[in-house]
Amino acid sequence: MALIVELLYTLVVTLRDVLPIAVIIFGFQFLVIRKPVPNLRRVAIGFIYVLVGLSLFLVGLEKALFPLGRVMAEQLTRPSFIQAGAVMEQQFHWLNYYWVYGFAFAIGFSTTIAEPSLMAVAIKANEVSAGAIGVWGLRIAVALGVAVGITLGAYRIVVGDPIHYYIIAGYVVVIAQTRFAPKMIVPLAYDSGGVTTSTVTVPLVAALGFGLSETVPDRNPLIDGFGLIAFASLFPIIAVMAYAQLAEFMNRRAAN
Amino acid sequence: MRKGIVKLGLSVASSMKDLAPILIVVAVFQLGVLQQPLPNLVETAIGVLLVLLGLTFFINGLELGLFPVGESIAHAFARKGSVPWLLLFAFALGFGTTVAEPALIAVADEAASIASEAGVIAMTDAAREGYAGGLRLTVALSVGVAIVIGVFRIIKGWRLDLMIMGGYLLVVIMTALAPREIIGIAYDSGGVTTSTITVPLVTALGVGLASSLKGRNPMLDGFGLIAFASLTPMIFVMAYGMVF
């Protein structure tokens, strides 16, 4: 019973999010373009599917994964847990946080694989490139990028470096890669930075950042808790270009 | 009917593949590293089932509804040839989808409490609400502007990489000038603005536009809208932090 109420509530909230989009699209369609929407019935069914799908997805995540993920992030960053597995004598050595890095990597990778907006972009890219860009190839490249990004972001919170050094260094790498990567991949790579962090990744990653900045000494959660998402949207750009560069390199070697 | 069931079964199976990594990670860390039992097994199983169903519906709805609509609007505007209307549509889409984005509302509230704690604004609810509301409008405005710039680029065929690098340069300059408290939030706001419904629509719009304009390549020119939408919020939020 409670589940049904929750489902209906989420459906209403999702509807409220979709409403402005629907108003803009259909408003322009009828007032500016002044032509009926092609296959209106199919499109309407599609919109309903998206609405219902997103609501079920969100309720399911809130039921199954988020509470567990949040508790795990909290427990893994707890000082008593870190001390119990300490490998370094010093009390607060960054190496002692190895399970946190492992969790950051694993959760970054796995949540990105399940991210619906990334699936959408991968499907589109596959279609536009006539199959040259594989749906799974792109998704795995992006997921690896997010995994590395979040791990590095967790390390940054532990050692307390200013965030902009890392981000600016990342920009330099992106610019250098842009020069050498195959031209076709560059726009897609830039886009994949923004699509990685939405419904699945943000809540879990935010919990990790917050837990970490609360328990590491001398960190302020209000300042240091932010920034993981920025890492997660920069590193996929690097990873996707690297994936294309690698593919090109392999092809050239096979040709010779 | 049989065909439909087989198709449904196939898409549920592929959703299962999407979800398997998370389940494995959670199970391994919970049982192996933290060495604790999985709580509420029944509830978790129901949740996973809902996620599976939801993902299946979403992906099917994408192909039926969001992609075709984005593309047909792009084609219609291209045929109509009215650039001002297209740009207005681009702005409305960017602004309208961002201003109500739940992730953005959460980040804006968080930013307001930081600002009041740092003494930038008064420690009152009214001041915080005003600050958070202003921030939300700023980000929504920045995404609207981003989609307009991105669509204009597709029409003109300008080079994406040079424009993005210019954006990076602006981010670096603004970082040097903006107050330290706002930097983390500004950087994060780039990632949270693009929601699950916006991304497929905007992607379809860009690709549709690039494929219906002469001399544009959907692969080279069609992508890049999201990239702008995750870059401009950083610049605008830092500017907002400097003004206040």
Side-chain angles (χ1 to χ4, degrees), chain B residues 1-224:
Chain B
M1 192 63 205
R2 231 10 224 271
K3 240 184 178 165
I5 292 173
V6 170
K7 216 180 139 206
L8 186 72
L10 278 179
S11 36
V12 172
S14 97
S15 299
M16 244 185 257
K17 252 194 337 207
D18 301 328
L19 219 54
I22 297 194
L23 298 180
I24 294 171
V25 167
V26 168
V28 164
F29 272 84
Q30 185 75 359
L31 302 173
V33 179
L34 291 163
Q35 302 193 331
Q36 270 160 18
L38 290 167
N40 310 329
L41 216 51
V42 179
E43 192 146 303
T44 307
I46 294 176
V48 169
L49 204 70
L50 290 181
V51 171
L52 270 180
L53 269 177
L55 210 51
T56 309
F57 269 111
F58 179 82
I59 295 293
N60 280 301
L62 214 61
E63 313 255 17
L64 282 176
L66 291 186
F67 280 164
V69 156
E71 259 158 52
S72 81
I73 280 214
H75 291 310
F77 272 123
R79 227 173 308 133
K80 208 170 151 56
S82 157
V83 175
W85 277 118
L86 175 59
L87 294 183
L88 188 68
F89 175 73
F91 182 82
L93 195 65
F95 185 87
T97 54
T98 310
V99 79
E101 170 70 26
L104 175 62
I105 296 172
V107 168
D109 289 343
E110 202 70 53
S113 53
I114 294 180
S116 75
E117 223 150 282
V120 182
I121 54 171
M123 283 286 245
T124 60
D125 278 345
R128 271 195 285 267
E129 253 164 51
Y131 188 85
L135 195 60
R136 264 173 67 192
L137 277 183
T138 308
V139 173
L141 206 68
S142 72
V143 175
V145 170
I147 308 286
V148 169
I149 296 176
V151 164
F152 201 64
R153 175 195 85 86
I154 296 176
I155 298 173
K156 290 280 172 200
W158 290 336
R159 275 181 61 183
L160 177 69
D161 49 352
L162 293 182
M163 296 179 77
I164 295 290
M165 281 174 202
Y168 283 171
L169 198 65
L170 262 177
V171 169
V172 172
I173 294 170
M174 296 294 280
T175 304
L177 301 175
R180 190 179 179 276
E181 294 80 24
I182 201 88
I183 291 175
I185 302 160
Y187 282 12
D188 268 6
S189 68
V192 297
T193 48
T194 41
S195 79
T196 314
I197 299 165
T198 321
V199 167
L201 261 180
V202 166
T203 307
L205 179 75
V207 169
L209 206 55
S211 50
S212 48
L213 292 176
K214 258 211 187 107
R216 297 283 170 278
N217 177 321
M219 204 59 211
L220 271 179
D221 303 302
F223 290 96

Side-chain angles (χ1 to χ4, degrees), chain A residues 151-203:
Chain A
T151 311
L152 202 62
Y155 166 79
R156 179 197 75 87
I157 294 177
V158 170
V159 296
D161 290 338
I163 180 171
H164 45 274
Y165 294 164
Y166 287 77
I167 300 294
I168 292 170
Y171 284 169
V172 173
V173 174
V174 169
I175 291 171
Q177 270 181 308
T178 303
R179 256 190 68 79
F180 299 109
K183 281 230 154 26
M184 281 290 169
I185 201 74
V186 171
L188 181 63
Y190 286 169
D191 265 6
S192 50
V195 300
T196 49
T197 43
S198 47
T199 23
V200 199
T201 317
V202 170

Side-chain angles (χ1 to χ4, degrees), chain A residues 202-215:
Chain A
V202 170
L204 286 180
V205 165
L208 184 69
F210 208 71
L212 207 52
S213 55
E214 236 172 12
T215 50

